[in-house]
Amino acid sequence: MRIGLLTDGGYPYATGESRLWCDRLVRGLPSHEFDLFALSRSADQEQQGWVRLPDRVERVRTAPMWTHEEDARRSGRSRGLTGRLATGLGRSYGRRDRRRFTAHVTALVGAVCVGTETGPDSGGADAEAAAGRFTDGLYGLADLARERGGLHEALRSETTVRIVESACRAPGTGRTVHAATVPDYLDFVAELERALRPLSVDWYDEDGLGAVDLCHAASGGASALPGLLAKRFFGVPLLVTEHGVPLRAHYLAAPEAPRGAPVRALLANFHGLLASEVYRQAALITPGNTHVRRWQERFGADRSKLRTVYPGMEAERFGAVGEGDDGGGPGTLVWIGRIEPAKDLVALLHAFAEVHRSEPDARLRIFGAPVQGSEGDTYLAQCRALAAQLFPDEAADAHAVGDNPVTFEEIGGPEVPDLAEAYAAGGVVVLSSVVEGFPISLVEAMFCGRATVSTDVGAVVEVVGGTGLVVPPRNPRALADACVALLRDPERRARLGAAARARALELFTVEQNLEAYRGIYLDLAGHAPARWGTPSDPRDPGGPPRPFAMPPEAHVLGALPPEPVAAGVSRVPSWAMGAESVCAGVHGAGDRDV
């Protein structure tokens, strides 16, 4: 099969999300060919280049989702759009196309404005009508971009701003959207144009997405948009994988965020309506855990299309620690991760103060580096100051050097050269987060055979099962009690660690992930429609789509017509193309009695 792998700000670039998972997928399925369709997020990302690609990657097509102007002012706000608005659509479209553009944008923006009041859980006729107008507008703009181009300039025109203003002031919109001002209109128009840039890429032809057998979007949102259009234009089935919940960020955007409340409400609903359409059109959806699955169901994903596939992680690098007899520092707690407010190290330090009072010899080793930016550095400094305040350097007597039971360390030094050694340094691994998706550090600790204490956030309970202790988030007392219980019971630590390693090896390895997608690809190919539709003549292009319910070798018999198939007609998988030449060679050999 030829798989069209759709990524947004990740693979094959050297930086970004999901690049490791995508690389393992491509390298681990040698029986398939891959075409990469990648959206880049910044000039810096493109300058850092690609990772080394395996030979089975046939083609790579990229498209920037940024402009040089945006990249230069990345830290600024989009409200600088005011001075760059086109006064109209005259330079882009003729009169007929201007009417088409206006109608499609009016439908899409009107659905977004009304949808801020209906919401994903409301259901009913209003929500269905809003979803219908949204998809009409979205696909209408896609058709216009494919036929005429110029969508980028048109969406940044004064016409679009006036449509947004009219929709926000229309009857039926909520109080938040109704209160929008001109800067809010400009901000939303800029974000809308940015979100719809995938409609204008040059991938929608017979040599691009029309040539693949299956589109696999590595995330929802922008990377799934080309998959939606590939299904619309060429009938290519769409598989959507989501390891996180980017949609959640739009709904939980902090009130102190740079954008105003009306813009946050409009963007949240736009992405909610887009997610609902992606889930409706997808042939199969593979959430990375149950936490993601619940969000997908909330936005309309059909349960029959959902199949949880855990991200695959390399277990070999932790094998020496997990299979060894060393249980780590018996009185040492280890925390590993990115140092940022969501990890709630403040609560961990307060919890360790309680642990230290109960177990004076206990130590806490924090391994990690701050996230990039001033916020990460500030938070690290805050945590160091709190640790110094809670645990002033202690000395056994007047002649000894003082020591602090809490240390902040980075992996890669002489004492801790790699990640596995960091997990090996402690007897108990702690996760104190208040926000978490799929807890990678927790799985790594399980591979190392370590007992864990975690907060009940994200997919933690699903990952741990019964092999670790789970406490409520933002509860230092509960966190401290669980840590003390394990520090005082080495036999329980050993039992939980062994059970955790067995569970991780069963559920979270690269091998199980690859095996799952190997089966999914074949299953989707087996249910994809064949190119021709009538049972009596499968080569009749005028018939309806016929389910592909036969093995691939059934396509060998019969000649393929030379003319391309029109849009909307079912397709033959690319690995069946050219079968007529094979068939002719076989028959020729038979005629010569070979």
Side-chain angles (χ1 to χ4, degrees):
M1 290 177 60
R2 173 173 286 179
I3 311 298
L5 188 59
L6 312 174
T7 65
D8 177 20
Y11 195 70
Y13 294 104
T15 60
E17 299 178 356
S18 299
R19 66 185 188 279
L20 291 178
W21 173 78
C22 290
D23 192 58
R24 291 168 184 163
L25 182 73
V26 172
R27 294 180 184 277
L29 298 177
S31 59
H32 299 295
E33 300 172 355
F34 285 86
D35 290 349
L36 302 185
F37 298 85
L39 305 175
S40 67
R41 283 296 163 182
S42 67
D44 180 66
Q45 184 178 56
E46 294 196 359
Q47 289 171 358
Q48 294 191 41
W50 299 349
V51 299
R52 186 185 179 97
L53 297 176
D55 294 337
R56 66 184 57 94
V57 174
E58 294 291 319
R59 295 178 302 169
V60 179
R61 297 181 69 167
T62 64
M65 292 295 103
W66 53 275
T67 64
H68 291 286
E69 182 181 36
E70 292 170 350
D71 208 58
R73 58 183 177 86
R74 181 165 295 276
S75 60
R77 297 191 58 188
S78 298
R79 291 184 177 178
L81 177 68
T82 310
R84 292 180 298 280
L85 284 174
T87 56
L89 301 176
R91 291 183 299 175
S92 300
Y93 298 136
R95 181 180 301 176
R96 179 175 176 273
D97 292 330
R98 288 200 298 269
R99 287 198 299 267
R100 290 176 61 190
F101 174 82
T102 301
H104 298 324
V105 173
T106 300
L108 186 146
V109 173
V112 169
C113 290
V114 173
T116 55
E117 294 304 302
T118 57
D121 297 324
S122 60
D126 291 341
E128 292 181 5
R133 292 197 299 273
F134 177 84
T135 54
D136 289 344
L138 179 69
Y139 292 131
L141 290 175
D143 292 337
L144 185 61
R146 190 183 185 206
E147 297 169 12
R148 302 296 184 189
L151 189 61
H152 168 77
E153 295 82 2
L155 284 172
R156 284 184 169 253
S157 68
E158 184 179 344
T159 301
T160 305
V161 177
R162 293 188 181 280
I163 292 172
V164 171
E165 178 183 15
S166 177
C168 289
R169 294 182 176 181
T173 57
R175 189 183 313 171
T176 302
V177 172
H178 201 75
T181 60
V182 171
D184 294 320
Y185 304 147
L186 297 174
D187 204 352
F188 175 66
V189 166
E191 293 299 323
L192 179 65
E193 183 275 324
R194 190 174 294 113
L196 294 180
R197 285 177 189 173
L199 302 185
S200 300
V201 298
D202 60 350
W203 300 345
Y204 310 115
D205 53 40
E206 292 290 348
D207 294 326
L209 288 171
V212 303
D213 302 314
L214 171 69
C215 282
H216 186 175
S219 63
S223 68
L225 257 179
L228 280 181
L229 301 189
K231 180 177 181 181
R232 176 177 176 82
F233 297 145
F234 309 108
V236 180
L238 172 62
L239 168 64
V240 178
T241 294
E242 287 186 314
H243 290 142
V245 192
L247 186 59
R248 181 174 180 267
H250 296 287
Y251 277 84
L252 301 182
E256 62 270 16
R259 299 189 182 98
V263 179
R264 295 200 306 273
L266 289 169
L267 288 176
N269 197 62
F270 169 82
H271 288 285
L273 289 168
L274 177 59
S276 297
E277 177 62 9
V278 168
Y279 298 153
R280 189 173 72 88
Q281 295 294 342
L284 192 68
I285 307 163
T286 53
N289 54 72
T290 303
H291 176 63
V292 174
R293 182 178 181 134
R294 285 195 294 265
W295 274 87
Q296 292 171 337
E297 290 181 357
R298 181 187 177 193
F299 283 88
D302 186 348
R303 290 188 177 184
S304 64
K305 293 182 178 181
L306 293 171
R307 177 178 172 183
T308 302
V309 179
Y310 296 118
M313 298 175 60
E314 294 181 354
E316 293 78 9
R317 62 189 300 195
F318 305 106
V321 177
E323 296 173 1
D325 297 330
D326 183 12
T332 303
L333 304 177
V334 166
W335 181 96
I336 298 176
R338 295 177 302 175
I339 298 177
E340 58 181 333
K343 304 303 182 182
D344 203 6
L345 290 182
V346 172
L348 175 62
L349 291 170
H350 282 291
F352 185 69
E354 298 292 331
V355 172
H356 194 57
R357 276 191 281 270
S358 301
E359 297 290 325
D361 294 331
R363 297 182 61 83
L364 172 62
R365 300 183 67 174
I366 296 175
F367 295 96
V371 294
Q372 293 182 353
S374 59
E375 182 183 18
D377 294 332
T378 301
Y379 188 69
L380 175 58
Q382 176 187 351
C383 293
R384 288 183 181 273
L386 178 60
Q389 177 184 350
L390 292 174
F391 311 100
D393 288 348
E394 303 170 354
D397 53 56
H399 303 287
V401 177
D403 186 25
N404 194 305
V406 178
T407 58
F408 292 83
E409 309 172 52
E410 290 192 17
I411 299 172
E415 293 186 3
V416 185
D418 57 33
L419 188 60
E421 290 296 326
Y423 287 109
V428 178
V429 176
V430 185
L431 184 143
S432 56
S433 302
V434 293
V435 177
E436 195 74 52
F438 186 84
I440 294 176
S441 63
L442 207 56
V443 177
E444 292 171 342
M446 295 167 70
F447 280 136
C448 291
R450 292 299 184 257
T452 59
V453 176
S454 315
T455 48
D456 186 5
V457 292
V460 164
V461 172
E462 181 181 3
V463 167
V464 172
T467 68
L469 305 186
V470 181
V471 300
R474 296 191 179 93
N475 191 332
R477 169 64 70 177
L479 191 64
D481 291 343
C483 291
V484 169
L486 290 183
L487 290 176
R488 290 177 174 175
D489 193 342
E491 293 184 358
R492 187 183 185 191
R493 287 204 310 270
R495 288 197 305 270
L496 289 176
R501 176 168 169 78
R503 178 177 176 82
L505 291 174
E506 179 183 1
L507 297 177
F508 307 125
T509 61
V510 173
E511 290 74 20
Q512 67 82 24
N513 182 270
L514 293 176
E515 187 61 31
Y517 280 108
R518 184 180 291 109
I520 287 171
Y521 284 173
L522 294 178
D523 183 62
L524 291 178
H527 289 87
R531 188 169 186 167
W532 303 283
T534 60
S536 59
D537 186 1
R539 293 172 293 177
D540 180 12
R546 181 169 61 89
F548 176 57
M550 59 184 67
E553 55 267 24
H555 290 285
V556 171
L557 298 177
L560 297 174
E563 65 273 12
V565 178
V569 179
S570 303
R571 313 171 59 258
V572 160
S574 63
W575 35 259
M577 300 299 291
E580 70 279 11
S581 60
V582 176
C583 189
V586 171
H587 287 305
D591 292 340
R592 291 192 301 269
D593 297 325
V594 175

